[in-house]
Amino acid sequence: MRNPLVVRPGDRVRFDGKVQTVAGLSGMLVRLADAAGGTSAMHLPTLMMSPGFEVLGSGSRRVMPAGLLDPVPAVQAEEVLWWHRHMVELRTGLPPDAPQCASPRPEYDPVTRTLAEREASKAAELSVELGRPVSAHTVRWRRRRHQERGIAGMVDGRHAPRRPVHGGLRPEVVDELQQMMSQATDGSTRTVSYYFERVSKTVKDKYGPEAVPKRSAFYRLFQRLERGRHTTGSARTRRSLANQPEGAFGQVTVCRPGELMEIDSTPFDALVRLDQGVVGRVELTGLVDVATRTVTAAVLRPTTKSVDAALLLARSVTPAPMRPGWTDALRMERSVLPYQRLLALDERLRHAAAVPLIIPEAIVVDGGKAFLSKNFHIACDAFGTEVIHAPPRTPTHKPHIERTLGSVATMFAQFVSGHTGRSAEHRGSRVEDEPLWSLPQLQELLEEWITARWQNRPHDGLRDPLAPGRTFSPNEKYAALVETAGYLPLALSSEDYLKLLPTRWQAVNSYGIKIKHRIYDCGDLDGLRRERSGLADHQDRWEVRHDPYDVRVVWLRDHREETWITVPWRLLSSQPVPFGEMAWDHSARDLRDQQGATVTEEAISEAVGELLERAGTGPVEENAAPPVRKRARSRRAERAAARTRAASDPSWPRLAPPSASAQVEEPEDETDDEAVADVVPLRVFDARKESKKWW
């Protein structure tokens, strides 16, 4: 160990053949005091350059650097400190914990004893203390290591192995194995023996039989290289780890609600009874605010479409209504949200639930079709929302929504009847036999759980930077941030809702508007029939908005008058039950397979009605009489009908479609005042029964 470059008051130094103590320092002037009480003063450079000058020890206790022995096990750390104490006493005459005015023991006094004599004395002392012989050579070896490396030199080398990381295997084997493990990221999981056989054959062909490793050595090498890579483990985990960015994770700082939001969809971990016994799974699409961790909107749908992603934006700025049966504690006026301030801006909040209204400024999306659709981007443009696309297969770019959807599975879905688990490995037997919720019922339960549980649960990511022990709930964080970033919720009208629907450009013919063999017509189209819109970019066609979950009506925009025209389906009176594009396309596909390419509108309408009727009657029992219309039951048909009926009830504001009775003008009955005769039903004629009678 080198002598310190700076002496301090209390240090013991050798000067002029005597051991003296540094009594004080004043600039470069050093005051020394000897054992007889005499004092002297001289400049520090003169003292350090004098013959025989040596710093023998410090009068103050030195503090060991924190964490120096953390990698060493506790038992070995105590042994290291024990050796350190003896080596300090051997070299300086005093142990590191000696008091200020202590004197060295005679056998270790550097003034009267040489270094060899002190080493022999220490060897004799340690032999008595340990109960086994300790030679002077061992003490000398320890003293040299302590002088070169300090306390780190007292660590046993067996606890810091110096063997090569890859053992004695050839570098060619290591390189070949690392290359194969890198290529296995997107492949299926294989065992260690597979890699041993492949690597052995490759190195044998390239470098000869002597390059083939031993199986035991190869397995040890594979175990060292495989740590943290899941090469022989879960393929999903392996791909997820490979997609993580290298280096330290970045962090986005947000200061106000809506500054950055994330949207995603995932299968919901519970079965749903879609319609009349048909069981299936649905998708959960959610929108979360990064600043407050608020789930501003979450919907369950059979399949996520662009209209669902777009309408999530509408729900984010629309007050969540209180549902019948909800406790009053879930009202916004009973929560920590700034209700009175927001109520002055929007009267709709008077009967709203305790979920904040947040206007999205930027949304992070992945490569899902619903989020890449033109309809979703148009909806974002309508709100002035910037869309940020995450790179492919990088869920780390939107970690908040990924974790939020995972929390919904662990905190809500597992309590729902019909819980399936996150994969087939975690799914129970005959889950479909449990009492299952319908889609509207489950949607209402989800909204109530978000309002009651999620928005009032302290979130670990919402901590006070000045008091990290204090966590906020999403509602509390929103109330705190709204004080520094004022908010004005937007009122979403019916016309705003129409702007979020998918767009089609159609011609208005003499018979109306034709979309997928369906004809939409009403009297308001009289001035537009066979007229050109004047929009050359769209081939002089008219803008038409439609709802994929309800084909009863479409909305045509008259850009000349800046009005919307509600156009009902011509056969609305024949099909009172609403159904969507899924059921329509399924029926049209079946009819095309049976009748060819030519399909009439009436045939498709009848097929859809028959499909919904079969789905509504449920499965046919084995001994029960067959239905009147005998037609092969299709599992795909039942599922399509059930998913359509489950999504037929919209959850967003829209223009009310005209009633079916309004589409047909009934002539005025001039005999309303006359009595109406009773209708007597006729019996069904049965030829077999009639033949047994005698007339």
Side-chain angles (χ1 to χ4, degrees):
M1 180 182 294
R2 299 172 55 190
N3 290 328
L5 299 179
V6 179
V7 293
R8 298 177 177 85
D11 288 352
R12 297 168 56 248
V13 299
R14 186 189 301 274
F15 173 68
D16 198 16
K18 296 184 297 183
V19 177
Q20 304 188 44
T21 304
V22 178
L25 296 172
S26 177
M28 299 297 293
L29 188 65
V30 181
R31 184 176 296 278
L32 301 177
D34 56 17
T39 61
S40 60
M42 64 184 60
H43 287 85
L44 180 61
T46 304
L47 176 66
M48 298 183 65
M49 296 301 295
S50 62
F53 172 77
E54 182 184 4
V55 178
L56 300 178
S58 176
S60 60
R61 184 176 179 179
R62 302 290 177 88
V63 180
M64 184 183 304
L68 182 62
L69 299 179
D70 287 349
V72 183
V75 177
Q76 285 74 24
E78 294 180 1
E79 183 180 356
V80 169
L81 294 176
W82 182 80
W83 277 107
H84 170 67
R85 184 178 185 278
H86 284 287
M87 291 301 103
V88 171
E89 184 181 20
L90 171 64
R91 296 180 57 208
T92 65
L94 291 174
D97 55 351
Q100 181 76 21
C101 57
S103 300
R105 290 190 288 175
E107 60 270 24
Y108 301 113
D109 191 351
V111 178
T112 60
R113 299 284 183 173
T114 64
L115 185 59
E117 292 175 344
R118 297 197 300 263
E119 290 175 352
S121 300
K122 182 60 69 175
E125 178 186 354
L126 296 180
S127 298
V128 175
E129 185 174 348
L130 295 177
R132 55 181 174 83
V134 178
S135 64
H137 174 74
T138 301
V139 174
R140 186 179 302 111
W141 173 75
R142 289 276 185 178
R143 190 263 306 166
R144 289 175 180 174
R145 287 176 58 88
H146 189 273
Q147 186 173 349
E148 294 174 356
R149 302 175 56 188
I151 191 173
M154 299 296 97
V155 180
D156 193 340
R158 292 173 295 181
H159 302 296
R162 292 167 291 179
R163 296 180 57 189
V165 178
H166 305 314
L169 293 176
R170 298 180 55 160
E172 296 84 358
V173 177
V174 179
D175 296 340
E176 190 67 28
L177 178 57
Q178 288 179 338
Q179 183 179 358
M180 291 189 61
M181 295 176 71
S182 300
Q183 296 174 354
T185 301
D186 296 326
S188 301
T189 301
R190 293 179 169 87
T191 61
V192 186
S193 61
Y194 167 83
Y195 293 95
F196 175 73
E197 298 294 338
R198 290 289 303 275
V199 172
S200 299
K201 184 179 184 305
T202 303
V203 298
K204 181 179 180 181
D205 296 341
K206 291 183 178 180
Y207 309 105
E210 64 277 2
V212 177
K214 293 183 178 180
R215 183 179 291 270
S216 58
F218 181 87
Y219 274 48
R220 289 193 296 269
L221 172 65
F222 187 90
Q223 185 178 7
R224 286 193 293 268
L225 297 180
E226 193 265 347
R227 291 173 183 171
R229 304 177 67 171
H230 285 260
T231 304
T232 57
S234 170
R236 180 179 179 181
T237 304
R238 183 169 61 251
R239 291 190 296 269
S240 178
L241 293 175
N243 289 332
Q244 289 184 357
E246 298 181 358
F249 289 177
Q251 183 177 358
V252 179
T253 303
V254 289
C255 303
R256 58 185 180 274
E259 183 178 358
L260 183 64
M261 305 183 74
E262 297 173 359
I263 187 173
D264 197 9
S265 61
T266 185
F268 190 70
D269 295 338
L271 294 180
V272 178
R273 193 169 302 279
L274 296 173
D275 184 47
Q276 297 298 327
V278 177
V279 177
R281 293 188 65 178
V282 294
E283 290 186 359
L284 169 64
T285 304
L287 183 64
V288 64
D289 175 49
V290 177
T292 63
R293 300 301 197 275
T294 296
V295 179
T296 58
V299 295
L300 296 170
R301 283 297 180 185
T303 55
T304 302
K305 295 186 177 181
S306 60
V307 63
D308 297 318
L311 293 178
L312 277 179
L313 303 179
R315 299 194 68 178
S316 179
V317 297
T318 303
M322 287 288 295
R323 302 287 185 179
W326 287 16
T327 176
D328 287 344
L330 301 183
R331 293 184 177 275
M332 182 177 290
E333 58 182 331
R334 301 290 184 89
S335 66
V336 298
L337 298 175
Y339 170 72
Q340 296 297 334
R341 174 183 298 183
L342 297 176
L343 181 64
L345 301 175
D346 194 343
E347 186 65 24
R348 300 173 301 167
L349 300 178
R350 186 173 301 278
H351 304 289
V355 178
L357 277 69
I358 299 180
I359 306 171
E361 299 179 17
I363 296 181
V364 181
V365 301
D366 57 11
K369 293 183 179 179
F371 310 128
L372 298 179
S373 63
K374 182 180 179 181
N375 183 52
F376 177 72
H377 283 262
I378 292 177
C380 292
D381 292 340
F383 284 96
T385 303
E386 178 186 1
V387 180
I388 303 174
H389 295 274
R393 299 187 303 175
T394 53
T396 53
H397 281 69
K398 47 181 183 59
H400 304 91
I401 185 62
E402 297 281 352
R403 189 65 188 92
T404 299
L405 296 181
S407 299
V408 172
T410 56
M411 299 174 58
F412 174 69
Q414 66 174 340
F415 294 95
V416 176
S417 178
H419 176 61
T420 60
R422 63 177 183 268
S423 63
E425 181 181 0
H426 298 82
R427 182 169 179 170
S429 60
R430 305 193 65 82
V431 181
E432 60 276 4
D433 293 341
E434 299 180 8
L436 304 179
W437 295 96
S438 65
L439 184 58
Q441 291 173 333
L442 190 58
Q443 175 70 40
E444 184 175 343
L445 286 175
L446 176 62
E447 294 177 358
E448 184 176 3
W449 176 83
I450 292 175
T451 306
R453 175 61 174 165
W454 181 267
Q455 292 299 126
N456 298 287
R457 170 180 173 267
H459 198 287
D460 187 67
L462 303 177
R463 292 187 178 272
D464 187 352
L466 300 180
R470 171 74 166 89
T471 57
F472 290 91
S473 67
N475 280 353
E476 292 174 341
K477 190 66 174 181
Y478 178 86
L481 293 182
V482 81
E483 295 294 332
T484 58
Y487 246 66
L488 178 62
L490 298 178
L492 189 67
S493 63
S494 298
E495 292 187 1
D496 296 327
Y497 165 79
L498 294 181
K499 294 178 181 179
L500 301 178
L501 294 178
T503 304
R504 298 178 63 95
W505 295 93
Q506 299 287 148
V508 181
N509 300 310
S510 301
Y511 51 82
I513 304 172
K514 188 174 184 180
I515 301 177
K516 291 188 177 181
H517 303 287
R518 299 186 300 268
I519 296 179
Y520 297 85
D521 194 12
C522 67
D524 295 335
L525 296 179
D526 291 345
L528 305 178
R529 302 182 190 275
R530 300 183 304 277
E531 290 288 335
R532 296 179 178 270
S533 65
L535 302 176
D537 295 340
H538 300 284
Q539 300 178 356
D540 289 325
R541 297 184 179 182
W542 299 86
E543 179 183 354
V544 176
R545 303 278 180 160
H546 67 102
D547 189 345
Y549 292 117
D550 189 357
V551 298
R552 295 178 297 174
V553 293
V554 296
W555 294 268
L556 182 142
R557 177 174 176 268
D558 187 357
H559 60 276
R560 297 178 298 187
E561 300 293 337
E562 291 298 331
T563 58
W564 290 92
I565 301 176
T566 302
V567 188
W569 182 25
R570 193 181 63 178
L571 298 181
L572 182 61
S573 58
S574 64
Q575 295 293 337
V577 180
F579 55 88
E581 296 281 0
M582 185 183 303
W584 181 271
D585 294 341
H586 171 77
S587 301
R589 182 170 57 251
D590 286 350
L591 287 178
R592 291 190 186 97
D593 295 340
Q594 299 175 11
Q595 302 178 8
T598 304
V599 181
T600 62
E601 179 185 2
E602 288 76 7
I604 295 178
S605 176
E606 183 180 358
V608 171
E610 184 178 352
L611 186 150
L612 297 178
E613 182 180 356
R614 291 198 311 271
T617 56
V620 179
E621 299 294 338
E622 183 178 356
N623 299 325
V628 177
R629 297 180 179 179
K630 296 182 179 181
R631 185 172 178 178
R633 298 180 60 86
S634 170
R635 192 177 188 87
R636 184 182 65 180
E638 293 180 356
R639 189 173 297 276
R643 292 162 75 92
T644 301
R645 292 168 66 97
S648 61
D649 185 17
S651 303
W652 303 279
R654 62 173 63 191
L655 296 177
S659 60
S661 59
Q663 307 307 312
V664 181
E665 297 183 359
E666 299 289 345
E668 296 184 359
D669 192 355
E670 300 179 356
T671 60
D672 288 344
D673 297 336
E674 298 180 2
V676 180
D678 296 335
V679 179
V680 180
L682 298 178
R683 294 182 303 168
V684 178
F685 178 77
D686 192 338
R688 298 189 178 216
K689 291 184 179 180
E690 295 295 331
S691 63
K692 296 179 181 180
K693 294 182 179 181
W694 292 93
W695 298 95

